[in-house]
Amino acid sequence: MKNIADNLQTLQKQEAEFARTHKSDTDDELIAYLVKCSKELGRCPKKEDIIGHTYLKQRLGPWPRILERAGFKEKAKSEAEKSRK
């Protein structure tokens, strides 16, 4: 159990450091970071793959919308219809 607690604490520190480091980034810069991570992974990233995913969600919205903005998936029909209006 100690190992799990240590891993969680490490992850929380990484998330907090990411938020401090990237608080002045533009949305486009955050999306570029996600694209870079995707290239390193060689696939569409899951939120668990990304250091800073908590901050990205706070800034950019739900993970599926973030993936749409980054070009990893098509917009959901309801979202696409809203943007046409």
Side-chain angles (χ1 to χ4, degrees):
M1 286 299 202
K2 182 175 179 352
N3 198 19
I4 293 171
D6 289 345
N7 288 342
L8 180 59
Q9 188 175 25
T10 299
L11 180 59
Q12 289 171 334
K13 285 180 182 178
Q14 289 173 330
E15 289 285 323
E17 179 62 27
F18 183 90
R20 276 191 300 278
T21 303
H22 296 276
K23 67 182 176 186
S24 62
D25 286 3
T26 65
D27 289 358
D28 287 341
E29 288 171 326
L30 294 174
I31 294 294
Y33 163 73
L34 186 60
V35 170
K36 177 181 166 267
C37 291
S38 152
K39 288 179 182 175
E40 291 172 2
L41 288 167
R43 61 176 169 75
C44 180
K46 298 176 185 173
K47 62 184 172 188
E48 298 82 16
D49 296 326
I50 305 300
I51 293 173
H53 77 274
T54 303
Y55 182 70
L56 292 175
K57 288 171 53 180
Q58 287 174 345
R59 284 275 307 269
L60 304 173
W63 194 250
R65 300 300 84 78
I66 295 170
L67 295 179
E68 289 171 1
R69 287 182 68 178
F72 295 123
K73 63 182 262 185
E74 255 184 65
K75 276 189 174 183
K77 283 188 179 184
S78 61
E79 289 297 315
E81 289 171 4
K82 286 179 189 175
S83 65
R84 277 189 252 143
K85 292 181 181 181

